[in-house]
Amino acid sequence: MNLLDSSLHRTEVRRLLTRLGISYEQSGVAHEEWTADPAGEPVAIVSPADGAELATVLFGAEEDYDDAVYTAQRVWPKWRDLPAPRRGLIVREMAEALRAAQDDLGTLISLETGKILAEGKGEVQEMIDVADFAVGLSRQLYGLTMPSERPGHRLMEQWHPLGVVGCITAFNFPAAVWSWNAFIAAVCGNCVVWKPSERTPLTAIAVQKICEPILERQGFRGVFTLVCGTGPVVGERMTADRRLPLISATGSTGMGRRVAELVGGRLGRTLLELGGNNAAIVMADADPQLAVRALLFGAVGTTGQRCTSIRRILLQRAVADEYREYLTRAWGKVRIGHPLEAKVLCGPLIDRGAVRRMQEALGEIREQGGEVIYGGEPVELDFEGKPLLGGCYVRPALVASSGQMPAVNEELFAPVVHLIEFDDLDEAIALNNAVPQGLASAIFTESMRAAEQFLSPRGSDCGIANVNIGTSGAEIGGAFGGEKDTGGGRESGSDSWKAYMRRQTATINSSRELPLAQGIRFDL
């Protein structure tokens, strides 16, 4: 059956939700058990793909949040004391459950966010990969042993779990970013309270329904708890809560500043993944076929709603006209449509507000001297002769800009790309680094010297720097995150597990003497 056939749409969506354990009117609060009557309001969740209501979610309020934290606090000592490799085995069961649900969960992600089906399923695969990574990590939570200057002493460093941590996720990756935090934090011995985006609670509920029975069967229900609610109610309560030593938050720079203010005010820790304003440098010696394909996905993937989306393409002046033609032709071939439809590359923006903001931003770009050379307009679509409602479709835009335009410094969460010319690599790197954000960057070149300069300390100032590959699609093995207004946090791979732990330096004296460090004598 085709989910796009309007006569079957509602029935098939209900069946999809049922397979994922979600009722049409679903509580968005899970701690000891699913709260039957949350204190928040019911919220209709509408697909940006066609304007259809998917389900109604009963949001939680502060008291529901407090119950969730209390549940996590009660189970935490037991979870903390479970050996890390055994915690890893439980996460491995979750990976297997996600594999079994990948098609359904990926479809729900596509319906709820508007990203194409390949990206929806890819997000679930990323969760599986992170879980597999966490399983291996559960046997590699290494400390250090260091030589002591005192005879008969051993100096070492070890790591202990923080406790109950908070996780706030954004709409564009409604499941994967939670897994970056939750699976790593869990094998480290922590519990996680999750506040998902208000726009994508169904995905969060589905993930909770997949993971919760595994924890319950092992006697650890409450390691992962969920509270769907608004930012002013649940989000503010979470960030101000001294019971949570760490808040991991993904979203806009403005949101991150508010989280940092509240958490910093209580001397808690933050792990922030915020805005990106990512540039790709195209040198005259770049391979055009490789570069154009990478630029297209980087700019148009997820309809430009990735923090790693390419916002600026920096073109060396000698090839700028040539690349403008290449890019205009490539952008013109992008198929726009329902995210579940085969061969569609660009689905809708998340809502009509995003469409409006994109149009307003294009107006400001024109006022500042920029020229829209392709796309940018809203698109009316139909499927099988019937209109796709929702009004969230746009044509990806290419804009000829200068690096001095104020609009270039802003992250516009939509498929709008500034084309900016430069003369030499030093100028290109300066343009790359000129914006407030510092998440992802890329260079396309056949020159080893240019690539090495881009990766050197005087090169890109971003947390991610790629050569001959775009800015999106990071692998889970490398730590993900950026600098400056991006927040400085690192998640997922490498040694990012340390963010969820407290470091302890320990000294053991096995002698009968008591020498002091630095040669200090203090004898009675």
Side-chain angles (χ1 to χ4, degrees):
M1 291 185 178
N2 192 336
L3 272 172
L4 295 176
D5 186 332
S6 59
S7 65
L8 298 173
H9 181 276
R10 184 169 296 276
T11 299
E12 286 301 296
V13 168
R14 294 280 181 90
R15 289 174 180 168
L16 172 70
L17 295 176
T18 299
R19 290 196 297 272
L20 291 167
I22 302 173
S23 61
Y24 180 70
E25 189 176 84
Q26 171 70 54
S27 170
V29 178
H31 37 87
E32 279 191 293
E33 57 187 26
W34 287 90
T35 303
D37 188 21
E41 298 296 321
V43 176
I45 307 304
V46 175
S47 173
D50 55 11
E53 183 177 312
L54 300 174
T56 296
V57 175
L58 305 176
F59 275 16
E62 284 194 14
E63 52 264 49
D64 301 302
Y65 164 78
D66 285 331
D67 288 344
V69 175
Y70 176 67
T71 297
Q73 285 183 308
R74 283 198 307 174
V75 76
W76 177 61
K78 182 181 175 184
W79 180 251
R80 174 196 59 198
D81 292 344
L82 187 70
R86 291 183 60 189
R87 296 194 294 258
L89 291 176
I90 294 174
V91 171
R92 187 174 71 178
E93 286 191 55
M94 296 177 191
E96 294 305 314
L98 287 166
R99 284 185 175 94
Q102 185 170 14
D103 286 348
D104 283 342
L105 184 56
T107 301
L108 177 59
I109 291 171
S110 293
L111 287 172
E112 197 170 28
T113 66
K115 64 172 64 175
I116 62 173
L117 185 57
E119 291 190 73
K121 291 182 179 180
E123 182 167 348
V124 184
Q125 185 60 52
E126 187 169 355
M127 299 177 74
I128 295 165
D129 293 344
V130 172
D132 288 344
F133 177 82
V135 174
L137 186 64
S138 68
R139 293 181 180 271
Q140 300 178 74
L141 302 174
Y142 300 139
L144 297 172
T145 299
M146 295 155 281
S148 173
E149 65 184 72
R150 292 172 284 183
H153 287 59
R154 178 158 61 92
L155 184 63
M156 63 182 183
E157 174 186 280
Q158 56 188 3
W159 297 85
H160 297 304
L162 289 172
V164 180
V165 302
C167 183
I168 301 171
T169 57
F171 77 85
N172 58 333
F173 281 87
V177 171
W178 172 83
S179 73
W180 293 358
N181 289 275
F183 291 154
I184 305 297
V187 298
C188 289
N190 301 287
C191 297
V192 180
V193 180
W194 184 11
K195 183 214 168 295
S197 167
E198 299 158 41
R199 293 167 170 152
T200 53
L202 292 175
T203 297
I205 292 167
V207 171
Q208 183 76 15
K209 295 275 189 178
I210 290 168
C211 295
E212 187 178 71
I214 295 166
L215 290 164
E216 184 176 16
R217 187 167 62 249
Q218 298 287 347
F220 294 101
R221 187 169 190 168
V223 169
F224 295 154
T225 55
L226 171 70
V227 185
C228 300
T230 65
V233 176
V234 176
E236 293 274 312
R237 179 75 180 94
M238 175 182 282
T239 51
D241 191 347
R242 297 182 67 88
R243 294 172 296 178
L244 305 187
L246 170 69
I247 299 294
S248 175
T250 302
S252 69
T253 297
M255 181 274 282
R257 291 188 195 282
R258 177 61 177 163
V259 170
E261 176 186 358
L262 288 172
V263 179
R266 59 178 174 86
L267 299 182
R269 295 193 203 176
T270 55
L271 198 169
L272 301 176
E273 296 289 354
L274 309 176
N277 191 353
N278 315 296
I281 298 170
V282 181
M283 302 298 292
D285 65 353
D287 178 344
Q289 289 189 339
L290 177 70
V292 170
R293 286 178 12 239
L295 294 170
L296 181 65
F297 175 70
V300 178
T302 323
T303 319
Q305 297 173 118
R306 289 178 179 237
C307 53
T308 54
S309 291
I310 295 175
R311 311 289 178 201
R312 299 171 293 144
I313 298 176
L314 311 181
L315 300 170
Q316 194 159 22
R317 206 172 303 278
V319 293
D321 290 342
E322 179 182 347
Y323 269 90
R324 267 194 290 271
E325 293 181 12
Y326 291 152
L327 295 171
T328 302
R329 284 201 298 269
W331 261 240
K333 293 178 182 177
V334 171
R335 184 169 178 181
I336 304 164
H338 195 291
L340 299 187
E341 188 177 354
K343 299 183 180 179
V344 163
L345 295 179
C346 183
L349 288 170
I350 188 63
D351 56 29
R352 293 183 182 182
V355 177
R356 183 183 65 255
R357 288 189 293 273
M358 177 177 168
Q359 301 311 303
E360 291 170 352
L362 288 172
E364 293 173 3
I365 288 169
R366 292 185 180 99
E367 291 175 2
Q368 295 171 19
E371 178 190 359
V372 179
I373 60 178
Y374 180 82
E377 69 275 12
V379 178
E380 297 295 330
L381 297 172
D382 63 65
F383 179 77
E384 295 183 349
K386 298 177 182 178
L388 279 174
L389 303 177
C392 299
Y393 293 90
V394 294
R395 199 172 305 282
L398 293 170
V399 179
S401 305
S402 73
Q404 288 69 47
M405 289 169 46
V408 171
N409 292 319
E410 301 295 327
E411 181 195 30
L412 178 60
F413 224 55
V416 175
V417 180
H418 297 275
L419 306 182
I420 302 170
E421 297 184 16
F422 67 90
D423 288 315
D424 57 31
L425 181 57
D426 287 338
E427 182 185 359
I429 290 174
L431 287 167
N432 178 85
N433 297 349
V435 298
Q437 308 85 356
L439 178 53
S441 57
I443 188 171
F444 293 88
T445 181
E446 296 295 295
S447 166
M448 178 192 70
R449 288 186 176 87
E452 289 293 334
Q453 182 176 338
F454 178 73
L455 298 176
S456 76
R458 68 178 188 274
S460 170
D461 67 356
C462 297
I464 298 169
N466 297 332
V467 177
N468 290 329
I469 189 172
T471 56
S472 291
E475 297 182 43
I476 60 97
F480 180 91
E483 302 301 323
K484 302 188 296 188
D485 279 5
T486 301
R490 294 296 187 274
E491 294 173 318
S492 186
S494 186
D495 66 348
S496 61
W497 60 270
K498 293 178 179 179
Y500 310 97
M501 304 283 266
R502 58 181 177 89
R503 185 195 308 251
Q504 186 177 76
T505 301
T507 305
I508 300 173
N509 180 7
S510 58
S511 74
R512 295 189 180 276
E513 304 297 326
L514 195 63
L516 299 177
Q518 293 84 47
I520 296 172
R521 300 186 65 84
F522 194 79
D523 295 329
L524 294 176

